[in-house]
């Protein structure tokens, strides 16, 4: 099936449907407790870019690979084991020699509280000097990777913020992808903690504006577009309590004019009433089909919000690759994000059938 908003290479001509470029960290989750008082953690893998490819593999059945770097120690091999469980090809992982204590290279850790009610979710990253932050553009033979056939490359602003060289790696990958006919998606994913020590918002805008010229499908929320690209969403407060999409349509129109290479722009709409209850929706635009909106889900109950945006991105990408319209794509994205937030961990446990049912208006009645 051909989607009028985007044209991908034929699946039969490609080795991979999706390749993700980004850091994969070990997530340590205290469950119902606090990081500061817990005595045990559940452990998963997670990463803003990785989560999208993993979702496309596990929920939607597409073929995927991850490009990242890890220190070659027991923690790195645990992350690899998680990635293998996620179904992604790890042959493009760059392994770095470990010095025994992490002085020269290490693997990233992410301690994350889910939050509840009036207590918001909290993320504490321990990711300085990681292997992936030290990657160089020449570390990967990009022409070999994309020359083997890749329909979709996904990367984003988290990876680009890791170091000076990370943005150069992203640009090299995106340039090679475009050369070989691969669609490039980019999630702005603005994280103040990552940019704080390297130039803040000004640096974030400099880097993301440079990389944006290589993007076909741009994804983000209201903060992402404002902080990373400088496009203001007029009339929306910082808590996003008003989900009127008129302001977002205006912002998207401005972004589309500024970047004629954008074929699709999509933004999630989240109104945070509490850590446990959010309004959830999404809007998308394409040059071919104009504006569409996903089903608005008021008072959506949240178990673990982390990874909801990544699951939106993977559902959107699936729809643009496999379904017949932008409307279907944004509905699959919003439904997948909603389902992902009902379970713990960064990564999805949803199935294609569950996403299709919810996107089509299905309920949460028991299945027997």
């Amino acid at each position: 099936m051909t989607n009028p908003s985007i044209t991908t290479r034929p699946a039969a001509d490609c080795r991979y449907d999706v390749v993700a470029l980004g850091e994969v960290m070990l997530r340590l989750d205290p469950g119902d407790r606090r990081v500061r008082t817990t005595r045990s953690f559940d452990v998963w893998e997670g990463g803003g870019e990785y989560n999208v490819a993993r979702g496309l593999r596990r929920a939607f059945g597409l073929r995927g690979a991850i490009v990242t770097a890890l220190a070659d120690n027991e923690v790195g091999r645990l992350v690899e084991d998680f990635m293998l469980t996620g179904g992604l090809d790890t042959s493009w992982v760059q392994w770095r020699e470990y010095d025994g204590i992490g002085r020269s290279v290490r693997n990233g850790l992410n301690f994350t509280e889910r939050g509840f009610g009036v207590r918001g979710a909290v993320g504490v990253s321990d990711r300085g000097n990681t292997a992936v932050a030290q990657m160089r553009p020449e570390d990967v033979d990009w022409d070999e990777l994309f020359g083997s056939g890749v329909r979709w490359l996904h990367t984003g602003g988290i990876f680009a913020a890791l170091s000076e060289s990370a943005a150069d790696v992203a640009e090299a990958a995106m340039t090679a992808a475009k050369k070989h006919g691969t669609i490039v998606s980019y999630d702005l994913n603005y994280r103040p903690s990552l940019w704080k020590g390297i130039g803040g918002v000004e640096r974030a805008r400099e880097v993301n504006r440079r990389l944006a010229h290589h993007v076909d499908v741009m994804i983000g929320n209201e903060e992402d577009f404002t902080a990373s690209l400088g496009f203001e969403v007029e009339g929306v407060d910082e808590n996003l309590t008003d989900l009127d999409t008129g302001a977002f349509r205006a912002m998207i129109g401005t972004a589309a004019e500024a970047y004629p290479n954008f074929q699709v722009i999509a933004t999630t709409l989240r109104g945070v009433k509490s850590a446990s209850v959010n309004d959830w929706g999404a809007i998308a635009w394409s040059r071919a089909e104009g504006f569409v909106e996903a089903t608005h889900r008021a008072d959506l109950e949240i178990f673990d919000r982390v990874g909801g945006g990544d699951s939106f991105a993977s559902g959107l990408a699936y729809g643009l690759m496999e379904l017949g319209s932008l409307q279907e794509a944004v509905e699959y994205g919003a439904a997948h994000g909603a389902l992902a937030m009902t379970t713990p961990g960064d990564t999805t446990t949803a199935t294609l059938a569950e996403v299709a049912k919810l996107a089509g208006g299905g309920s949460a009645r028991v299945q027997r």
Side-chain angles (χ1 to χ4, degrees), residues 50-303:
Y50 163 84
N51 295 341
V52 176
R54 188 191 187 281
L56 282 164
R57 173 65 187 91
R58 290 305 299 265
F60 299 105
L62 301 187
R63 303 158 298 169
I66 175 69
V67 179
T68 192
L70 293 166
D72 194 356
N73 58 21
E74 296 305 299
V75 175
R77 293 298 173 178
L78 175 58
V79 174
E80 179 192 36
D81 196 58
F82 277 119
M83 293 190 297
L84 291 169
T85 300
L88 296 185
D89 185 347
T90 59
S91 61
W92 298 93
V93 174
Q94 309 293 301
W95 291 98
R96 300 291 182 253
E97 184 177 355
Y98 184 61
D99 62 12
I101 61 172
R103 180 179 289 113
S104 62
V105 67
R106 56 193 292 272
N107 296 306
L109 305 177
N110 185 24
F111 298 82
T112 302
E113 296 178 11
R114 301 174 200 158
F116 184 82
V118 296
R119 176 172 59 85
V122 176
V124 182
S125 295
D126 182 15
R127 68 197 309 175
N129 205 38
T130 55
V132 71
Q134 300 178 47
M135 280 185 69
R136 302 286 176 182
E138 62 272 16
D139 289 343
V140 177
D141 188 335
W142 301 110
D143 282 324
E144 179 184 355
L145 172 57
F146 292 106
S148 68
V150 178
R151 297 171 73 195
W152 197 284
L153 167 68
H154 182 74
T155 190
I158 293 178
F159 175 70
L162 295 180
S163 65
E164 290 288 339
S165 63
D168 295 335
V169 174
E171 189 165 34
M174 297 160 88
T175 300
K178 299 293 291 180
K179 172 183 172 183
H180 291 280
T182 299
I183 295 297
V184 175
S185 66
Y186 190 92
D187 193 329
L188 290 162
N189 258 334
Y190 178 70
R191 298 290 184 269
S193 59
L194 288 177
W195 294 102
K196 181 178 179 181
I198 57 172
V201 171
E202 292 75 15
R203 180 59 177 160
R205 289 179 179 175
E206 178 187 342
V207 169
N208 284 291
R209 284 168 173 168
R210 170 163 62 99
L211 296 179
H213 291 286
H214 304 281
V215 174
D216 299 297
V217 180
M218 182 61 82
I219 303 167
N221 62 27
E222 78 294 339
E223 181 186 21
D224 297 332
F225 278 95
T226 298
S228 297
L229 293 178
F231 296 118
E232 299 290 339
V233 184
E234 299 293 338
V236 177
D237 66 27
E238 63 180 7
N239 296 315
L240 195 60
T241 54
D242 181 3
L243 289 179
D244 178 10
T245 59
F248 291 88
R249 289 171 180 257
M251 181 275 293
I252 288 172
T254 302
E257 184 176 351
Y259 294 94
N261 51 290
F262 290 174
Q263 298 304 305
V264 175
I265 302 172
T267 182
T268 54
L269 308 174
R270 185 193 294 270
V272 180
K273 296 182 174 178
S274 75
S276 312
V277 177
N278 291 182
D279 291 339
W280 174 252
I283 184 171
W285 167 93
S286 75
R287 296 191 184 277
E289 298 180 79
F291 283 97
V292 297
E293 293 182 34
T295 300
H296 176 61
R297 294 180 172 87
D299 298 324
L300 182 70
E301 293 176 294
I302 306 294
F303 187 82

